[in-house]
Each structure stands twice: as structure tokens, then as C-alpha cells.
Amino acid sequence: MSDMFEFGFEESKVIKTNAVEQFKQTRSGEKTRVSIISLKKYSDGILAEKAKEKGSPLTDMEKAEYIAKIDKKIAEQLNKSVDDLTEVDRLNIKSPRFAFSYTHYNEAVGTIRCLSKYEGSTVVRPEICCNKFGDAGQTVGMVVMTYPVKDGLEVDMDLLTARKYVNFYIWKMSAQKFKKVEDAYREARGDDKFTIDLNVVLDGDPKFQKQQISAGSSAVWTRLPANSETRAWILDQGLRMWKHVSSQLGFEMKADKISEKLGLSSGGHGGAAGADMPKLVSSYDDLI
């Protein structure tokens, strides 16, 4: 990953000297208003549904035909030509996007990707990481925005519109913590809210990032006009930062390097040295 990351429109560039930042709270009781801005395209959900109806993966030609129809409909709704559509135009703001990977944590190696081969969620060929560290956990990642707020987490709309004190982060968490995000969205959708803000409160020592997560109101940024430059800027950040989510979910360490870190001989682990790397799953579609 580059150690310089640029994002924003020309009039609002931000340079990160330490690559992307992770969302973390720094003091017990700290309250933050957060919005998930990694979003799926309209085509993602429709293609998945069509493949389900078909009972097998769509061909490239079938995908192209469906995407052309979807683009045509989006263009009509936005009163644009298909050629003028942007990637932001194609986003479905009601469908948050997440990524996850199977990972292990150990003080000797840090957080690393699991090397074992999976079929679904079942390990069919364990590698040294599972043999030495036990079953892998799941690390989930997403892109979030934090707002400029007044007392009581009320958003300062003037600052938001001016794009001041608006920050963008990658938020990674365990599957257990993600369950809180899922519950918040389920609660909101029960009230017919699909694009929401989350209220996040740090509970205890910042070292552990134990957080209370609850549903807030409908996402404040969605109140901006659909053609607002600030709204497009926010969505653009989600697209740009999504490219970096997978690299934040755990280091890809080879089996021989794990053995070295643990002080083992190169042959001191089970499984094949060339075990298939688990694929990064692009979303938790069955959950949210």
C-alpha cells in the first residue's frame, strides 16, 4: 500500500501520510456519531438475485446485459445519459457493504490471515495457524464517516456542508462486535429506516475498544440534496477507501514465516505449504 493516500474533490483534498486510518475511540465514555459509507452498487444485489433464480452463476454476457439494463434505468431516473453515469451514481445507499476474512491473533505474529483451506465456513485442510493458534476468528471491515457534532451528537450541518471536521476511516471489528451493527440495522429496518447513523460509545479502556453500538436516526448526510457536491464527495470517499479495506483485515504471512516467528523448524507444521488462501468475502449479504 502507498504511504500516501489522497482523496476528495480538487477543492477538498486530504493527504494521509500514514495511509488510511482506522476508526478508534480514545477515552472511556467517548460518544461518536458514525455512518457506514461503504455501499454496494444497485447491480450487486440484482445480479445476486438473478443468479439465485437461475440456480447457477451468471455468465459474463448475462451480467453485461443486466448491468446495461440497470444503467439505463439509473440514467433515466437521474436524467443523464448512460455514458455520463459515475460510480457514485451506481451506488445503492440502502445497501451497506462489508468485507471479512478468517484471522488469527498471537503476540508473536500479530493479526494474520488464516492459511487453512475452507469450504464455506468449514476448515477442510488446516494449516500451521490453526494447528498452533486454534480456530480462526472472523474480522469484518467497512468504511465509516464521523460527523462534526454539537452537544448530544447533533450534527452541525453548516460544517458538514462545508466539509470541515468530517473524517473517514476503516472500521474493523470481530464478528461478535459486528453482531451489534447487524442488530442496529435490523432494529432500524423494522422502523422502515434503511440508511442510518450509528451511535457508538466507548465502554472502558481504549486499549480494548469495547463499544456500545446502537441505531441512530436516518443518516444525516442523506438529507443533503441528491445532486449536492458534499453528498457526492462523501460517497466518493467510500469508494476510494473501500479499496484499502482488505489490506486492513490481517497480514498475509506465509507458513514458513509463521514457523520462524514461533521458533519452529520449517517442517514443523501441518498442512501443505501451498494451501489455498481464503478468499475475501465482499459482503455479509445474509446478515444485512
Side-chain angles (χ1 to χ4, degrees):
M1 181 191 303
S2 169
D3 60 358
M4 298 286 284
F5 183 60
E6 178 183 305
F7 58 102
F9 289 160
E10 285 299 318
E11 67 273 24
S12 189
K13 287 184 178 178
V14 180
I15 304 297
K16 300 292 184 180
T17 56
N18 294 311
V20 296
E21 294 184 36
Q22 292 186 23
F23 172 63
K24 292 184 178 180
Q25 292 171 300
T26 58
R27 63 184 186 278
S28 181
E30 181 179 350
K31 299 178 180 179
T32 310
R33 186 166 188 152
V34 167
S35 191
I36 297 172
I37 58 165
S38 46
L39 303 166
K40 289 185 280 188
K41 299 177 185 177
Y42 286 104
S43 59
D44 292 333
I46 294 173
L47 293 180
E49 185 62 30
K50 295 300 181 182
K52 186 176 179 180
E53 291 175 3
K54 181 182 176 184
S56 62
L58 299 176
T59 65
D60 289 344
M61 183 176 294
E62 287 172 329
K63 291 178 182 178
E65 289 175 353
Y66 283 124
I67 289 172
K69 292 177 181 178
I70 295 165
D71 280 355
K72 182 178 179 181
K73 187 171 183 178
I74 294 172
E76 289 173 352
Q77 291 176 340
L78 298 178
N79 197 26
K80 286 185 173 184
S81 70
V82 171
D83 289 342
D84 288 336
L85 289 179
T86 66
E87 290 305 296
V88 166
D89 292 331
R90 295 179 170 95
L91 294 175
N92 182 356
I93 66 170
K94 295 182 179 180
S95 296
R97 188 180 189 187
F98 309 97
F100 88 92
S101 181
Y102 291 100
T103 58
H104 298 276
Y105 175 78
N106 179 272
E107 290 186 358
V109 298
T111 299
I112 60 170
R113 299 280 185 90
C114 180
L115 295 175
S116 300
K117 184 176 181 179
Y118 288 78
E119 288 184 2
S121 59
T122 303
V123 175
V124 295
R125 190 169 71 199
E127 267 290 333
I128 181 174
C129 48
C130 288
N131 292 337
K132 294 300 181 182
F133 306 140
D135 293 341
Q138 291 180 351
T139 300
V140 185
M142 67 206 75
V143 181
V144 297
M145 175 185 74
T146 60
Y147 292 94
V149 296
K150 305 174 184 178
D151 293 338
L153 296 184
E154 179 186 354
V155 175
D156 188 315
M157 291 300 294
D158 291 335
L159 289 178
L160 176 62
T161 302
R163 309 177 204 175
K164 294 182 178 179
Y165 306 104
V166 182
N167 295 299
F168 302 93
Y169 303 97
I170 290 174
W171 193 10
K172 71 173 186 177
M173 62 184 66
S174 66
Q176 290 81 5
K177 183 183 288 189
F178 180 77
K179 183 67 166 57
K180 298 179 182 179
V181 175
E182 178 193 6
D183 288 344
Y185 267 83
R186 289 192 187 282
E187 176 188 340
R189 289 181 174 180
D191 293 331
D192 291 326
K193 298 176 185 176
F194 292 88
T195 310
I196 63 170
D197 290 334
L198 298 172
N199 297 324
V200 183
V201 182
L202 183 64
D203 184 6
D205 192 331
K207 177 181 177 181
F208 303 107
Q209 291 297 296
K210 182 180 178 182
Q211 292 160 321
Q212 300 173 14
I213 302 170
S214 59
S217 65
S218 294
V220 171
W221 63 265
T222 64
R223 301 176 194 171
L224 297 169
N227 61 351
S228 160
E229 287 190 359
T230 299
R231 178 169 167 148
W233 173 71
I234 290 168
L235 294 173
D236 184 56
Q237 308 317 303
L239 285 169
R240 290 172 181 259
M241 291 193 70
W242 176 258
K243 300 173 185 177
H244 299 268
V245 171
S246 66
S247 65
Q248 302 292 313
L249 299 185
F251 183 68
E252 295 183 1
M253 185 176 290
K254 294 182 178 180
D256 288 346
K257 189 67 175 179
I258 296 175
S259 294
E260 178 185 324
K261 291 283 188 179
L262 296 179
L264 303 174
S265 64
S266 59
H269 58 82
D276 295 340
M277 290 295 291
K279 293 181 179 179
L280 182 73
V281 177
S282 62
S283 66
Y284 267 17
D285 288 331
D286 294 337
L287 298 181
I288 292 184

